[in-house]
């Protein structure tokens, strides 16, 4: 199309055979375009088109009159230039003052239909700009347009260099562009004045319209509606000018005609997104005005009478149009045109008319012809016939190809969001160039000289806000939102636009979900951490060679001065070639959201955005002079000390009282800001949200550090979180329950940290170093917080103390405060899980404090001289410990935690046992008796252990805890019985009563000692049970020795002693490390047999008892085998130089005890053998039993003689003596000794 002709000439395009037909809706279907968001569908073999009216502000329909022939349009009608409801916007047209579309007209539409921007729509523009682009191959007129990109959407606006450069001479706003234009494009630029004929034609058109709505009675009226402005006259097609009818100053209320196009504020605003002041953002900005017409704010408003979503083939466009549409009767929708009968319709005019009707959903065109202003005739033309008009035929398919090529060219090269691109074609030139004005402007001293900067920034911001407000927004769009906001921030001057900067930074911080699981979902996305824009420079560079084929980046044939152009179309004729230009550039990477490796990195990003937002807010508050000077480079000490906190728990009580009083005042809405911010102002609202966000981020950081066991760091972060929250409380006029819940969670975590610090005192120096560390970012955030409050409301909770008691007390107070906060409102009902956790933690820390005081009391007791009585300090510690245990039990019982309640009852029982032990030390050891105080406390301990078992109910609830409580209860009974047995209170009770109580306590201990269940504690239980049986047997043995009189009772004691000795032996034989205990029991059984033998008179009875005793002796073989095994293992270890038996003892064998028992055993065996020999020797009966008696006598004599020889040697080792005894016992067992 290099030889396209001027207006009036026919461009040599494809003939009628190449043109596609247009199928229109029936008149009935298209009668009212505005009622249903109606669509005009154009189909055919070549072109498809659909138009949906999204918005209309047209007045009610009026009628237009068909003017009589010979009507003189040069004469003004009576109503000329008067406002008229019938003409609507046309009523405000002033001859000579009308202008083309506003320089920001596309932004006005984009603001109103923000949902469409970035995703659904390819182009947003005035219909005049669309037509001008599609006529580029046919026209030699100049083209000058500003192009902006938001996502996949391009915004097109006319950039009238004539007006700009004239203005630059007055204000200097566009000096840099004027100089660039003169240097590279037109060195001899001067303002071109419009011809006299141009203004003459505009006057005739204006009078024609007024005549058409005010015809006389003889005229043939046709009802009409002047919905929009007449955009083109007879000559406007050549110079792109024409009668552009401006919108009224006060536009009627918007009427949304597409049910899907709801008003932009329709969706309720999330309280977490402070975007409510978006609409007021343009008002607070001092936008650079391009035209001094008294309509400064009109540039960012939607000035079009109709906004239409036009789909042309696969291109979706949001188009603004002011073309008047008339209709009614036989012609439901027509456009009205005035033509000079002497000038034929050319291609440019035909395309103009055809596109207007397609865009505005008009099926027919009414044309009024005149000669020198005298009306000649009217003619009706269908829209689909316009491409076939004489002298104006063109191919619709070529128009489609032009549209697709231009869009692809712009999308491939206008790649950076936030940049202003300039599409320019000089008059009479075939070359179209694209410049990046933002890059050119940045080379000047003030990069904010570009008047498009502010509207673009606001649009990016609004699109991001709109995406943020969608509740069902998928996280995959977070990268898009972040890109929009970062590009918005790049365009804004921090000192001029603090509100938008603060809000954008807050929204950036909101993109990072702080409560996400630690494993990021970014595994499905490639790493793209540094993508501040929607595409990287590398991507652009990679695509440049590919674009060269399409002529996008051809610089070799261009003049040297064109190196400033981003891209060039070498010839407008290329635009008519199908698919000459293809958009290969990726709109936005699939994952532009930064990948955070861990929680800490995510929180640091959030805090960086919060800090920028806080700086913006603080800089906008003009009361710095009232504040004390603060040096940002000087760290603020994190460690605050108050005198009341130094007093330990007493000081904490005062701090807690103050805290609870403050919490109560917050419910009443007290406000106390130091900086003087006005409640309800944007600074106040924004700072509240930023501070709350910072507190959440610090809380998450603290929780993450806690999980890493970095408790000093965790305490530092939770301190910052609580300082942020304290500032929030000072600024807040009405505390929300959600914020109170946050505070409860912060204090709970603070309590956890203090508790862990108390339990990890060994690494205190490292924790202290981490606690005192400060980053510059933290310092700056603290400085911002200190502008509003002292940040010391929670100093009592965040002090890193070196005292264990203080740390435990602080932890407990944190939990108590967290619990108190839950009582202020319905938080307890709304958050039952959190309430349960707080109660559980309170119970746990109270248990820790109780154990701490209990251990202190035990330590004092161990240091006390035995003869001294219980000290007051010990009693105070008992009371403190008991109080903590009691409160902890109440905490666990309140949430139905039977297991933990049982554990605390168990600890209380242990405390009672310590109290009992404290009362046993008084008096002389030899005169000591079991005191009533001991019995009292032991019985209390038993009561608590029994309560613990009742709390659990059954072993199935928690077997481990059940077994532990049972063991402690068994131990208590055993200890009590042992003390009563060893230190019998004979001065207060009779022997029989004491024996009865001991027996009952021992049996109860035995009942709670589980010897059958296989567990780690089973050997202990078996040893305990064996010991109990041994003690009971010894007691009955002793009773039998000392008792005289009642034979029945003696017999009972004898049976019981024998029974318990047998059970004790059976249990000790199950154990592998108690040979001495087993040997002792067996020796006592032998002694018991000897005692019985002493009371017998007949030799037969004595011999029988003696045989039983020797049998017991033989059964001690197991004990000696165990002893020998341990001695052999000991001898296998490296021996010491001193071979003395007492010098080196085996780890599990008490050598001294073994030697003592061994000597007793040898003496008793010797005694029994001697008695056996004496009783067997004088036998004179001649019976078969004599043979057995003789054999027994012979073996016993032999063993006795060997035993005497063995015991006679003084230097025999313990192992050798054991071996001898094993040998002798083997002989006795194998030789059929006396049965």
């Amino acid at each position: 199309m290099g030889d396209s002709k001027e207006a009036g000439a026919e461009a040599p395009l494809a003939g009628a055979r190449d043109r596609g037909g247009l199928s229109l809706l029936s008149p009935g279907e298209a009668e009212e375009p505005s009622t249903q968001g109606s669509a005009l569908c154009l189909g055919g073999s070549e072109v498809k088109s659909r138009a949906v009216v999204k918005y209309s502000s047209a007045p009610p329909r009026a009628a237009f009159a068909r003017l009589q022939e010979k009507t003189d349009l040069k004469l003004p009608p009576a109503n000329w230039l008067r406002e008229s409801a019938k003409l609507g916007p046309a009523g405000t047209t002033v001859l000579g003052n009308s202008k083309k579309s506003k320089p920001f007209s596309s932004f006005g539409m984009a603001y109103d239909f923000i949902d469409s921007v970035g995703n659904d729509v390819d182009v947003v523009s005035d219909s005049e700009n669309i037509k001008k682009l599609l006529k580029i191959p046919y026209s030699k007129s100049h083209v000058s347009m500003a192009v902006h990109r938001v996502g996949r959407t391009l915004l097109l606006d006319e950039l009238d260099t004539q007006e700009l450069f004239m203005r630059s001479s007055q204000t200097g706003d566009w000096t840099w562009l004027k100089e660039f234009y003169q240097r590279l494009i037109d060195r001899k630029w001067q303002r071109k004045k419009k011809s006299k004929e141009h203004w003459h034609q505009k006057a005739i058109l204006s009078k024609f319209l007024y005549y058409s709505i005010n015809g006389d009675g003889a005229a043939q009226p046709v009802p009409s509606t002047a919905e929009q402005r007449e955009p083109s006259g007879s000559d406007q097609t050549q110079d792109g000018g024409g009668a552009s009818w401006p919108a009224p100053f006060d536009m009627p209320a918007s009427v949304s005609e597409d049910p899907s196009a709801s008003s932009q504020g329709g969706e309720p605003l999330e309280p977490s997104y402070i975007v409510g002041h978006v609409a007021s953002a343009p008002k607070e900005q001092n936008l650079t005005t391009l035209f001094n017409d008294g309509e400064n704010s009109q540039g960012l408003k939607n000035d079009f009478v109709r906004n239409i979503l036009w789909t042309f083939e696969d291109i979706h466009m949001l188009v603004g149009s002011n073309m008047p549409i008339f209709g009614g009767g036989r012609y439901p929708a027509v456009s009205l045109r005035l033509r000079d009968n002497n000038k034929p319709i050319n291609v440019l005019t035909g395309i103009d008319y055809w596109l207007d009707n397609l865009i505005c959903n008009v099926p027919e065109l009414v044309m009024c012809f005149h000669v020198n202003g005298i009306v000649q005739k009217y003619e009706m033309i269908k829209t689909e016939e316009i491409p076939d008009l004489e002298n104006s035929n063109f191919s619709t398919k070529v128009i489609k190809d032009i549209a697709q090529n231009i869009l692809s060219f712009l999308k491939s090269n206008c790649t950076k969001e936030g940049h202003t691109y300039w599409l320019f074609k000089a008059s009479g030139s075939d070359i179209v160039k694209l410049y990046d004005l933002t890059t050119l402007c940045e080379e000047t001293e003030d990069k904010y000289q570009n008047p498009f900067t502010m509207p673009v920034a606001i649009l990016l911001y609004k699109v991001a806000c709109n995406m943020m407000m969608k509740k069902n927004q998928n996280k995959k769009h977070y990268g898009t939102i972040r890109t929009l906001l970062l590009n918005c921030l790049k365009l804004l001057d921090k000192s001029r636009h603090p509100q938008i900067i603060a809000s954008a930074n807050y929204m950036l911080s909101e993109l990072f979900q702080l409560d996400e699981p630690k494993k990021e979902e970014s595994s499905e996305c490639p790493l793209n951490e540094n993508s501040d824009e929607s595409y990287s420079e590398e991507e652009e560079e990679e695509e440049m060679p590919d674009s060269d084929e399409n002529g996008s980046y051809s610089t070799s044939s261009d003049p040297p001065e064109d190196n400033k152009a981003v891209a060039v179309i070498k010839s407008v004729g290329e635009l008519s070639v199908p698919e000459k230009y293809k958009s290969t550039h990726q709109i936005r990477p699939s994952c532009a959201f930064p990948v955070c490796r861990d929680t800490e990195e995510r929180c640091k990003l959030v805090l960086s955005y919060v800090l920028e937002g806080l700086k913006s807010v603080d800089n906008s508050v003009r009361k710095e002079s009232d504040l004390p000077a603060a040096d940002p480079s000087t760290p603020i000490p994190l460690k605050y000390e108050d005198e009341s906190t130094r007093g330990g728990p007493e000081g904490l009580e005062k701090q807690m009282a103050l805290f609870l009083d403050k919490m109560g005042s917050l419910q009443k809405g007290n406000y106390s800001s130091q900086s003087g911010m006005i409640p309800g102002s944007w600074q106040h609202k924004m700072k509240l949200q930023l501070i709350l966000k910072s507190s959440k981020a610090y809380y998450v950081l603290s929780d993450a550090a806690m999980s890493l066991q970095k408790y000093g760091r965790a305490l530092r972060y939770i301190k910052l979180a609580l300082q942020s929250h304290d500032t929030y409380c000072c600024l807040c006029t009405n505390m929300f329950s959600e914020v109170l819940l946050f505070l409860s969670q912060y204090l709970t975590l603070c309590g956890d940290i203090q508790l862990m610090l108390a339990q990890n005192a060994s690494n205190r120096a490292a924790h202290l170093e981490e606690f005192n560390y400060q980053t510059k970012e933290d310092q700056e955030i603290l400085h911002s917080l200190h502008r509003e409050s002292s940040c010391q409301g929670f100093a009592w909770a965040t002090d890193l103390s070196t005292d264990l008691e203080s740390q435990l007390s602080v932890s407990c107070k944190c939990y108590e405060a967290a619990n108190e906060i839950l009582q202020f409102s319905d938080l307890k009902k709304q958050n039952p899980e959190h309430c349960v956790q707080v109660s559980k933690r309170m119970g746990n820390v109270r248990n820790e404090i109780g154990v701490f005081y209990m251990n202190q009391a035990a330590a004092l007791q161990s240091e006390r001289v035995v003869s001294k009585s219980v000290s007051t300090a010990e009693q105070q510690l008992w009371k403190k410990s008991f109080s903590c245990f009691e409160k902890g039990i109440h905490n666990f019982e309140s949430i139905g935690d039977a297991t933990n309640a049982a554990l605390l009852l168990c600890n209380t029982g242990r405390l009672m046992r310590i109290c009992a032990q404290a009362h046993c030390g008084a008096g002389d050891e030899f005169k000591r008796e079991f005191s009533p105080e001991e019995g009292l406390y032991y019985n209390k301990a038993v009561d608590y252990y029994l309560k613990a078992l009742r709390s659990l109910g059954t072993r199935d609830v928690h077997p481990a805890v059940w077994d532990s409580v049972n063991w402690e209860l068994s131990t208590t009974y055993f200890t009590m019985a042992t003390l009563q047995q060893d230190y019998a209170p004979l001065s207060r009770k009779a022997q029989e009563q004491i024996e009865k109580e001991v027996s009952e306590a021992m049996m109860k201990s035995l009942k709670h000692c589980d010897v059958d269940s296989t567990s780690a504690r089973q050997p202990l239980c078996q040893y305990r049970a064996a010991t109990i049986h041994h003690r009971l047997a010894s007691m009955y043995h002793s009773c039998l020795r000392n008792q005289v009189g009642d034979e029945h009772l003696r017999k009972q004691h004898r049976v019981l002693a024998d029974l318990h000795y047998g059970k004790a032996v059976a249990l000790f034989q199950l154990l592998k490390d108690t040979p001495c205990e087993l040997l002792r029991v067996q020796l006592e059984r032998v002694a018991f047999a000897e005692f019985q033998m002493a009371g017998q008179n007949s030799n037969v009875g004595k011999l029988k008892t003696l045989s039983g005793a020797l049998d017991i002796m033989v059964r001690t073989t197991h004990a000696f085998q165990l002893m020998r095994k341990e001695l052999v293992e000991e001898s296998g270890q490296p021996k010491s130089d001193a071979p003395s038996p007492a010098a080196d003892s085996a780890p599990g064998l008490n050598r001294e005890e073994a030697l003592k028992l061994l000597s007793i055993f040898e003496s008793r065996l010797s005694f029994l053998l001697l008695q056996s020999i004496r009783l067997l020797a004088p036998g004179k009966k001649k019976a078969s039993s004599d043979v057995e008696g003789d054999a027994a006598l012979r073996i016993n004599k032999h063993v006795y003689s060997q035993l005497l020889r063995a015991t006679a040697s003084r230097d025999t080792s313990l192992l050798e003596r054991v071996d001898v005894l094993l040998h002798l016992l083997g002989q006795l067992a194998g030789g059929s000794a006396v049965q």
Side-chain angles (χ1 to χ4, degrees), residues 891-902:
N891 291 137
F892 287 124
E893 288 178 345
S894 68
I895 59 175
D897 191 343
T899 305
N900 281 316

Side-chain angles (χ1 to χ4, degrees), residues 378-416:
Y378 281 83
E379 185 177 334
M380 180 75 70
I381 304 170
K382 291 185 177 181
T383 300
E384 64 264 32
E385 296 172 354
I386 294 176
D388 297 327
L389 291 177
E390 187 179 358
N391 298 322
S392 180
N393 45 12
F394 56 89
S395 168
T396 57
K397 182 180 177 182
V398 171
I399 300 297
K400 176 204 71 171
D401 292 336
I402 294 170
Q404 291 174 335
N405 281 326
I406 289 177
L407 180 64
S408 296
F409 172 77
L410 292 176
K411 282 198 170 185
S412 295
N413 298 291
C414 301
T415 56
K416 295 182 180 179

Side-chain angles (χ1 to χ4, degrees), residues 87-116:
L87 274 183
T92 59
T93 300
V94 179
L95 187 63
N97 193 36
S98 66
K99 61 179 183 296
K100 297 179 284 296
S101 63
K102 298 289 193 304
F104 304 113
S105 60
S106 69
F107 290 91
M109 282 190 287
Y111 293 166
D112 284 351
F113 299 98
I114 207 75
D115 272 332
S116 301

Side-chain angles (χ1 to χ4, degrees), residues 325-452:
I325 300 177
F326 303 90
R330 290 170 48 207
Y331 312 110
V334 297
S335 57
L336 185 62
R337 304 286 182 169
L338 180 65
R339 292 295 303 170
D340 190 335
N341 204 22
N342 295 327
K343 297 180 180 178
I345 298 176
N346 57 44
V347 173
L348 297 175
T349 305
I351 294 174
D352 210 62
Y353 291 172
W354 181 68
L355 289 174
D356 268 334
N357 277 17
L358 283 189
I359 292 170
C360 294
N361 204 8
V362 177
E364 293 175 299
L365 166 70
V366 174
M367 199 174 293
C368 176
F369 292 92
H370 73 96
V371 176
N372 197 23
I374 306 299
V375 175
Q376 300 296 315
K377 62 178 179 178
Y378 281 83
E379 185 177 334
M380 180 75 70
I381 304 170
K382 291 185 177 181
T383 300
E384 64 264 32
E385 296 172 354
I386 294 176
D388 297 327
L389 291 177
E390 187 179 358
N391 298 322
S392 180
N393 45 12
F394 56 89
S395 168
T396 57
K397 182 180 177 182
V398 171
I399 300 297
K400 176 204 71 171
D401 292 336
I402 294 170
Q404 291 174 335
N405 281 326
I406 289 177
L407 180 64
S408 296
F409 172 77
L410 292 176
K411 282 198 170 185
S412 295
N413 298 291
C414 301
T415 56
K416 295 182 180 179
E417 282 176 315
H419 280 228
T420 299
Y421 292 91
W422 180 26
L423 185 71
F424 179 77
K425 182 177 87 74
S427 180
S429 172
D430 282 348
I431 299 174
V432 181
K433 298 180 181 179
L434 186 70
Y435 298 94
D436 186 347
L437 292 187
T438 301
T439 304
L440 296 174
C441 182
E442 286 174 350
E443 297 173 1
T444 63
E445 293 182 1
D446 185 3
K447 70 175 183 178
Y448 301 106
Q449 278 194 8
N450 182 356
F452 283 100

